[in-house]
């Protein structure tokens, strides 16, 4: 076998369709676009969701409610979860990295501490937000809340 004798496998390479090259080519005239209509015109591009003039699904389905584009989504962590973490790890500072290492949050999440349960040990908790009852319970136990 020599480099000059290499060639692709049989049927691997096809010649492309050359359209608009005269009637003798078999693909002249309308150039595979059919007769008339929007699709036959140059510059035509179909809008997304266009259904041939039929009322599109997006407009047929009823809409209701309100979506606030400025909504901030928090991952909620309750005091009873913090208590079990403190008992198992004996940590005094609970920050975002601590929550992440225990699989409670992911890197882009925001953390909010909620007040379900009770905290018995004085800990320093770092989070993006605290509920009123949670911050009161943490400070009552001798701890400290730090907003990120």
């Amino acid at each position: 076998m020599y480099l000059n004798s290499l060639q692709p496998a049989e049927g691997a390479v096809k010649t492309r369709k050359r359209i608009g090259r005269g009637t003798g080519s078999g693909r002249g005239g309308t150039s595979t676009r059919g007769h008339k209509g929007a699709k036959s015109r140059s510059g035509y591009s179909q809008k997304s969701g266009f259904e041939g003039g039929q009322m599109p699904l997006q407009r047929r389905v009823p809409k209701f409610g309100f979506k606030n584009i400025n909504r901030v989504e928090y991952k909620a962590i309750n005091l009873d979860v913090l208590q079990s973490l403190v008992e198992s790890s004996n940590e005094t500072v609970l920050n975002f990295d601590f929550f992440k290492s225990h699989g409670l949050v992911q890197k882009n999440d925001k953390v909010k501490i909620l007040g379900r349960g009770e905290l018995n040990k004085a800990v320093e908790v770092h989070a993006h937000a605290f509920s009123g009852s949670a911050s009161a319970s943490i400070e009552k136990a001798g701890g400290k809340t730090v907003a990120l």
Side-chain angles (χ1 to χ4, degrees):
M1 177 181 282
Y2 297 99
L3 288 177
N4 64 352
S5 65
L6 290 176
Q7 59 186 37
E10 192 67 38
V13 178
K14 297 177 183 175
T15 55
R16 67 184 178 89
K17 290 181 183 178
R18 297 185 69 223
I19 59 171
R21 290 292 178 266
T23 51
S25 69
R27 294 196 190 90
T30 58
S31 301
T32 72
R33 286 171 175 258
H35 294 276
K36 299 184 182 175
K39 286 186 184 174
S40 71
R41 316 292 186 198
S42 69
Y44 168 75
S45 64
Q46 191 177 53
K47 305 273 191 298
S48 63
F50 182 68
E51 297 182 19
Q54 173 178 297
M55 187 62 68
L57 180 69
Q58 183 225 346
R59 289 185 63 195
R60 270 181 280 158
V61 174
K63 289 150 197 73
F64 55 89
F66 171 75
K67 289 263 195 261
N68 185 358
I69 59 168
N70 298 318
R71 177 180 163 82
V72 179
E73 192 75 38
Y74 289 101
K75 276 283 175 147
I77 301 175
N78 278 292
L79 290 178
D80 55 2
V81 176
L82 292 185
Q83 180 63 35
S84 63
L85 286 173
V86 167
E87 288 171 359
S88 64
S89 65
N90 290 328
E91 286 283 328
T92 55
V93 178
L94 308 181
N95 56 16
F96 187 83
D97 295 328
F98 177 81
F99 298 135
K100 191 175 163 195
S101 65
H102 283 77
L104 295 172
V105 294
Q106 293 173 336
K107 68 177 181 177
N108 294 325
D109 290 341
K110 292 190 183 302
V111 179
K112 184 168 185 174
I113 307 299
L114 302 180
R116 186 188 71 201
E118 208 170 293
L119 199 61
N120 303 327
K121 196 172 178 187
V123 288
E124 186 177 318
V125 184
H126 298 254
H128 296 95
F130 296 88
S131 71
S133 60
S135 58
S137 295
I138 292 169
E139 286 160 10
K140 189 178 110 184
K144 185 176 161 191
T145 60
V146 180
L148 298 176

